Amino acid sequence: MLSRYRFQALIAAAGLVVIAAALVLYGMMSGSVHGGGATPPAVLADLKPVTPAKTVPAVAFSAADGSRHMLSEFKGRYVLLNLWATWCAPCVKELPALAALQKAVSKDQLVVVPVNVGRSDAKKTGQFLKKHGAGSLPVYNDTNIALVRAFRAYGLPASILIDPQGREIARAMGPAEWDAPAAITYFKNLPLAPKPAS
């Protein structure tokens, strides 16, 4: 037979186990699937978490002036990398939404990086963006589809959310309502890492 003190100790230990389990479950449920603490809205349901987060591949792509760029240049901010092509109807449809998202969210917080993975050169890409209501977006091309291969994005459009540390944390295959008010609020509220003291 258990003494009264041993019984009380067992009850206390069981209570601690229950509290610890509740805290673990609370932490799992309250954290963002994108690691930022904010819960993604229903309009971003197709933006699926990537766990564990993966360092993005070091692949170069071209800007309108022919200069070469890497995703690592955008560290310190969130990046929404969008792989698209002029012949992809869903890609074209979402271009204005991506432009509206970038206009609504500071580039200190989020940079939209739309990369045309088709065969168009920079001039044609720029003209195409203007014609389809997305002329405010930067012109980037990857005619060798190196980004498609590196990210294994075998379908377009493909949108990859990259955190300020340069890690892929989520991706959406197919178009999304990037300019929906709830989506804009979500991106505005993603927490940035504190800047180092100078």
Side-chain angles (χ1 to χ4, degrees), residues 64 84 86 92 95-96 99 114 116 121-140:
W84 68 281
T86 57
V92 176
L95 286 172
N116 179 2
D121 60 24
K123 184 178 178 182
K124 287 180 182 173
T125 297
Q127 291 170 342
F128 191 89
L129 288 171
K130 284 179 187 170
K131 181 179 175 182
H132 291 89
S136 61
L137 289 174
V139 173
Y140 293 120

Tab-separated table of all heavy atoms in Angstrom, residues 64 84 86 92 95-96 99 114 116 121-140:
chain	number	residue	atom	x	y	z
A	64	ALA	N	17.367	42.393	-66.133
A	64	ALA	CA	17.085	43.033	-67.418
A	64	ALA	C	18.346	43.568	-68.096
A	64	ALA	O	18.451	43.554	-69.315
A	64	ALA	CB	16.093	44.171	-67.216
A	84	TRP	N	7.786	31.422	-63.493
A	84	TRP	CA	6.666	31.556	-64.413
A	84	TRP	C	7.166	31.532	-65.851
A	84	TRP	O	8.362	31.551	-66.100
A	84	TRP	CB	5.902	32.865	-64.132
A	84	TRP	CG	6.673	34.106	-64.463
A	84	TRP	CD1	7.653	34.691	-63.713
A	84	TRP	CD2	6.539	34.911	-65.636
A	84	TRP	NE1	8.132	35.818	-64.350
A	84	TRP	CE2	7.471	35.977	-65.529
A	84	TRP	CE3	5.727	34.829	-66.769
A	84	TRP	CZ2	7.607	36.955	-66.514
A	84	TRP	CZ3	5.867	35.809	-67.755
A	84	TRP	CH2	6.783	36.848	-67.612
A	86	THR	N	5.751	32.811	-70.086
A	86	THR	CA	4.753	33.545	-70.858
A	86	THR	C	3.672	32.628	-71.433
A	86	THR	O	2.550	33.065	-71.654
A	86	THR	CB	5.424	34.315	-72.011
A	86	THR	OG1	6.155	33.383	-72.828
A	86	THR	CG2	6.380	35.374	-71.489
A	92	VAL	N	0.423	33.826	-65.989
A	92	VAL	CA	0.104	35.156	-66.495
A	92	VAL	C	-1.023	35.771	-65.682
A	92	VAL	O	-0.998	36.960	-65.334
A	92	VAL	CB	-0.267	35.097	-67.994
A	92	VAL	CG1	-0.703	36.450	-68.509
A	92	VAL	CG2	0.910	34.555	-68.800
A	95	LEU	N	0.267	37.295	-62.328
A	95	LEU	CA	1.290	38.349	-62.351
A	95	LEU	C	0.810	39.669	-61.741
A	95	LEU	O	1.525	40.264	-60.925
A	95	LEU	CB	1.799	38.564	-63.777
A	95	LEU	CG	2.728	37.479	-64.340
A	95	LEU	CD1	2.983	37.723	-65.825
A	95	LEU	CD2	4.038	37.417	-63.565
A	96	PRO	N	-0.394	40.168	-62.089
A	96	PRO	CA	-0.840	41.419	-61.462
A	96	PRO	C	-0.981	41.311	-59.940
A	96	PRO	O	-0.725	42.274	-59.221
A	96	PRO	CB	-2.204	41.685	-62.123
A	96	PRO	CG	-2.154	40.935	-63.407
A	96	PRO	CD	-1.334	39.713	-63.120
A	99	ALA	N	2.421	41.751	-58.460
A	99	ALA	CA	2.793	43.170	-58.511
A	99	ALA	C	2.083	43.946	-57.411
A	99	ALA	O	2.687	44.805	-56.744
A	99	ALA	CB	2.466	43.742	-59.882
A	114	PRO	N	10.105	37.551	-59.479
A	114	PRO	CA	9.482	36.751	-60.528
A	114	PRO	C	10.520	36.410	-61.604
A	114	PRO	O	11.114	37.308	-62.195
A	114	PRO	CB	8.412	37.694	-61.082
A	114	PRO	CG	8.993	39.060	-60.872
A	114	PRO	CD	9.923	38.981	-59.688
A	116	ASN	N	11.172	34.576	-65.171
A	116	ASN	CA	10.619	33.965	-66.367
A	116	ASN	C	11.546	32.815	-66.780
A	116	ASN	O	12.707	33.042	-67.114
A	116	ASN	CB	10.518	35.010	-67.483
A	116	ASN	CG	9.968	34.440	-68.777
A	116	ASN	OD1	9.624	33.264	-68.868
A	116	ASN	ND2	9.909	35.282	-69.783
A	121	ASP	N	13.665	36.756	-74.105
A	121	ASP	CA	14.798	37.533	-73.612
A	121	ASP	C	14.271	38.627	-72.677
A	121	ASP	O	13.056	38.773	-72.482
A	121	ASP	CB	15.604	38.118	-74.770
A	121	ASP	CG	14.799	39.054	-75.665
A	121	ASP	OD1	13.776	39.628	-75.201
A	121	ASP	OD2	15.181	39.228	-76.831
A	122	ALA	N	15.189	39.403	-72.099
A	122	ALA	CA	14.821	40.409	-71.098
A	122	ALA	C	13.864	41.451	-71.668
A	122	ALA	O	12.891	41.834	-71.007
A	122	ALA	CB	16.080	41.076	-70.553
A	123	LYS	N	14.116	41.904	-72.890
A	123	LYS	CA	13.252	42.921	-73.489
A	123	LYS	C	11.829	42.417	-73.642
A	123	LYS	O	10.861	43.093	-73.279
A	123	LYS	CB	13.817	43.350	-74.854
A	123	LYS	CG	13.033	44.466	-75.500
A	123	LYS	CD	13.651	44.888	-76.828
A	123	LYS	CE	12.836	45.978	-77.491
A	123	LYS	NZ	13.391	46.361	-78.797
A	124	LYS	N	11.682	41.206	-74.172
A	124	LYS	CA	10.346	40.628	-74.360
A	124	LYS	C	9.663	40.366	-73.025
A	124	LYS	O	8.457	40.544	-72.883
A	124	LYS	CB	10.437	39.340	-75.171
A	124	LYS	CG	10.740	39.587	-76.632
A	124	LYS	CD	10.820	38.287	-77.408
A	124	LYS	CE	11.177	38.549	-78.871
A	124	LYS	NZ	11.422	37.313	-79.614
A	125	THR	N	10.445	39.946	-72.035
A	125	THR	CA	9.878	39.699	-70.699
A	125	THR	C	9.337	40.996	-70.115
A	125	THR	O	8.219	41.036	-69.578
A	125	THR	CB	10.932	39.088	-69.759
A	125	THR	OG1	11.334	37.820	-70.275
A	125	THR	CG2	10.386	38.898	-68.354
A	126	GLY	N	10.117	42.073	-70.221
A	126	GLY	CA	9.671	43.371	-69.715
A	126	GLY	C	8.411	43.849	-70.404
A	126	GLY	O	7.473	44.341	-69.752
A	127	GLN	N	8.356	43.703	-71.719
A	127	GLN	CA	7.171	44.112	-72.480
A	127	GLN	C	5.960	43.276	-72.069
A	127	GLN	O	4.846	43.794	-71.947
A	127	GLN	CB	7.434	43.961	-73.982
A	127	GLN	CG	8.433	44.954	-74.535
A	127	GLN	CD	8.861	44.639	-75.964
A	127	GLN	OE1	8.690	43.521	-76.465
A	127	GLN	NE2	9.454	45.625	-76.634
A	128	PHE	N	6.192	41.982	-71.859
A	128	PHE	CA	5.110	41.083	-71.478
A	128	PHE	C	4.549	41.472	-70.110
A	128	PHE	O	3.326	41.501	-69.917
A	128	PHE	CB	5.628	39.643	-71.458
A	128	PHE	CG	4.550	38.614	-71.331
A	128	PHE	CD1	3.931	38.087	-72.449
A	128	PHE	CD2	4.135	38.166	-70.086
A	128	PHE	CE1	2.929	37.134	-72.334
A	128	PHE	CE2	3.136	37.221	-69.955
A	128	PHE	CZ	2.528	36.699	-71.087
A	129	LEU	N	5.430	41.768	-69.158
A	129	LEU	CA	4.980	42.166	-67.818
A	129	LEU	C	4.129	43.433	-67.903
A	129	LEU	O	3.064	43.516	-67.271
A	129	LEU	CB	6.174	42.384	-66.892
A	129	LEU	CG	6.920	41.116	-66.439
A	129	LEU	CD1	8.205	41.488	-65.709
A	129	LEU	CD2	6.040	40.239	-65.557
A	130	LYS	N	4.570	44.405	-68.677
A	130	LYS	CA	3.808	45.652	-68.829
A	130	LYS	C	2.445	45.387	-69.445
A	130	LYS	O	1.423	45.911	-68.993
A	130	LYS	CB	4.583	46.646	-69.698
A	130	LYS	CG	5.731	47.318	-68.970
A	130	LYS	CD	6.469	48.270	-69.890
A	130	LYS	CE	7.722	48.792	-69.193
A	130	LYS	NZ	8.593	49.536	-70.094
A	131	LYS	N	2.420	44.566	-70.474
A	131	LYS	CA	1.174	44.266	-71.183
A	131	LYS	C	0.159	43.569	-70.280
A	131	LYS	O	-1.051	43.701	-70.479
A	131	LYS	CB	1.494	43.377	-72.393
A	131	LYS	CG	0.290	43.014	-73.239
A	131	LYS	CD	0.693	42.156	-74.413
A	131	LYS	CE	-0.510	41.692	-75.201
A	131	LYS	NZ	-0.142	40.812	-76.315
A	132	HIS	N	0.640	42.841	-69.275
A	132	HIS	CA	-0.255	42.059	-68.414
A	132	HIS	C	-0.389	42.633	-67.006
A	132	HIS	O	-0.662	41.912	-66.041
A	132	HIS	CB	0.209	40.598	-68.379
A	132	HIS	CG	0.006	39.916	-69.689
A	132	HIS	ND1	0.950	39.927	-70.689
A	132	HIS	CD2	-1.065	39.244	-70.192
A	132	HIS	CE1	0.484	39.281	-71.740
A	132	HIS	NE2	-0.739	38.856	-71.478
A	133	GLY	N	-0.230	43.948	-66.886
A	133	GLY	CA	-0.513	44.624	-65.618
A	133	GLY	C	0.486	44.370	-64.512
A	133	GLY	O	0.154	44.486	-63.335
A	134	ALA	N	1.720	44.018	-64.886
A	134	ALA	CA	2.738	43.733	-63.878
A	134	ALA	C	4.061	44.427	-64.215
A	134	ALA	O	5.132	43.945	-63.872
A	134	ALA	CB	2.939	42.223	-63.759
A	135	GLY	N	3.958	45.583	-64.872
A	135	GLY	CA	5.155	46.296	-65.297
A	135	GLY	C	6.013	46.815	-64.166
A	135	GLY	O	7.180	47.150	-64.372
A	136	SER	N	5.461	46.867	-62.946
A	136	SER	CA	6.249	47.343	-61.801
A	136	SER	C	7.180	46.260	-61.246
A	136	SER	O	8.065	46.559	-60.442
A	136	SER	CB	5.322	47.836	-60.690
A	136	SER	OG	4.488	46.772	-60.240
A	137	LEU	N	6.983	45.016	-61.674
A	137	LEU	CA	7.845	43.927	-61.203
A	137	LEU	C	9.200	43.970	-61.908
A	137	LEU	O	9.290	44.387	-63.060
A	137	LEU	CB	7.182	42.568	-61.465
A	137	LEU	CG	5.979	42.215	-60.596
A	137	LEU	CD1	5.342	40.919	-61.081
A	137	LEU	CD2	6.365	42.104	-59.127
A	138	PRO	N	10.244	43.530	-61.231
A	138	PRO	CA	11.552	43.482	-61.886
A	138	PRO	C	11.584	42.410	-62.973
A	138	PRO	O	10.816	41.440	-62.919
A	138	PRO	CB	12.518	43.136	-60.742
A	138	PRO	CG	11.664	42.443	-59.730
A	138	PRO	CD	10.300	43.054	-59.847
A	139	VAL	N	12.460	42.588	-63.943
A	139	VAL	CA	12.597	41.638	-65.049
A	139	VAL	C	13.753	40.696	-64.739
A	139	VAL	O	14.904	41.122	-64.639
A	139	VAL	CB	12.854	42.375	-66.380
A	139	VAL	CG1	13.158	41.382	-67.497
A	139	VAL	CG2	11.661	43.256	-66.735
A	140	TYR	N	13.413	39.418	-64.565
A	140	TYR	CA	14.428	38.377	-64.344
A	140	TYR	C	14.149	37.222	-65.296
A	140	TYR	O	12.994	36.865	-65.529
A	140	TYR	CB	14.395	37.852	-62.909
A	140	TYR	CG	14.809	38.857	-61.861
A	140	TYR	CD1	13.933	39.241	-60.855
A	140	TYR	CD2	16.096	39.415	-61.858
A	140	TYR	CE1	14.309	40.150	-59.876
A	140	TYR	CE2	16.479	40.325	-60.886
A	140	TYR	CZ	15.582	40.689	-59.891
A	140	TYR	OH	15.964	41.597	-58.933
